[in-house]
Amino acid sequence: AWIKWATQEWNEVLFNGVHWEPPEVGAPGEVHPDKKYTFKYPRPPKPRALRIYECHVGMSSEEPKVNSYLEFRRDMLPRIRKLGYNAIQIMAIQEHAYYGSFGYHVTSFFGASSRFGTPDELKAMIDEAHRLGLVVLMDIVHSHASKNTNDGINMFDGTDALYFHSGARGNHWMWDSRCFNYGNWETMRFLISN
């Protein structure tokens, strides 16, 4: 439930939790696969009025492929700034096994989607947005979750009621997902903590 990064091997269906802790700390602004990203730029000041560009990193390429955090950083952020926006709202940022859910079947609430790159590449993208004066908002899904039992939190403790309503009330028939039980203290602690 607390995994920072989950990846999918090319020949597997399931996402596997991965311990993500690069051995070294990089210089501010340095992107390196073996170094933890260090932010170089502060958050921009809160704008008087937000002009929000809602975006999906993976679907932002003009080519028929899943785009990456670093490609979005290079290609999209300058365009968004040039169009006069002062904020981006990133959709589908949490790990989700079913890509067709547009990111709303979350399987890993603490992990950034590995389809687009590493957690540190996401940090580099956010840092570049800050350099350009863009506020970064993350579209976090707290209304429902994937019903997957192998790589999600459904039946995490062997029951259907750890984080969700039990029985039919806990199933969202339109999304084919699980509905959180907000009356459960542990559910609230889990959702607030991420």
Side-chain angles (χ1 to χ4, degrees), residues 48-190:
R48 205 177 84 244
L50 285 174
R51 291 201 60 206
I52 302 170
Y53 185 95
E54 187 176 49
C55 54
H56 188 293
V57 172
M59 296 180 183
S60 64
S61 177
E62 292 180 2
E63 300 171 32
K65 67 173 192 142
V66 175
N67 222 11
S68 72
Y69 296 124
L70 297 181
E71 291 165 327
F72 189 89
R73 172 188 179 207
R74 180 193 68 218
D75 302 332
M76 294 301 299
L77 289 177
R79 290 175 61 191
I80 293 167
R81 184 69 227 176
K82 189 175 179 181
L83 289 169
Y85 291 94
N86 59 14
I88 60 171
Q89 179 177 335
I90 309 170
M91 300 173 67
I93 201 69
Q94 295 168 300
E95 192 59 78
H96 51 288
Y98 177 49
Y99 196 59
S101 77
F102 211 60
Y104 291 101
H105 277 200
V106 176
T107 52
S108 184
F109 283 80
F110 291 83
S113 180
S114 61
R115 284 183 182 85
F116 317 136
T118 69
D120 288 292
E121 290 168 346
L122 171 61
K123 290 178 186 178
M125 184 188 88
I126 292 169
D127 202 24
E128 178 64 9
H130 289 170
R131 183 186 75 78
L132 294 170
L134 295 167
V135 171
V136 177
L137 307 171
M138 295 188 185
D139 190 352
I140 305 297
V141 180
H142 281 164
S143 57
H144 58 105
S146 172
K147 69 177 189 178
N148 293 6
T149 55
N150 292 322
D151 55 4
I153 60 172
N154 185 27
M155 298 190 74
F156 193 70
D157 69 344
T159 72
D160 71 344
L162 176 63
Y163 297 116
F164 307 104
H165 290 287
S166 184
R169 185 175 179 199
N171 292 298
H172 195 302
W173 66 273
M174 289 181 71
W175 281 90
D176 194 30
S177 59
R178 297 299 316 272
C179 298
F180 285 109
N181 179 356
Y182 302 119
N184 180 339
W185 178 249
E186 290 305 317
T187 300
M188 295 304 291
R189 286 182 53 192
F190 175 77

Side-chain angles (χ1 to χ4, degrees), residues 16-34:
N16 302 297
V18 176
H19 178 73
W20 182 258
E21 196 67 42
E24 298 178 41
V25 176
E30 176 187 14
V31 180
H32 189 281
D34 297 324

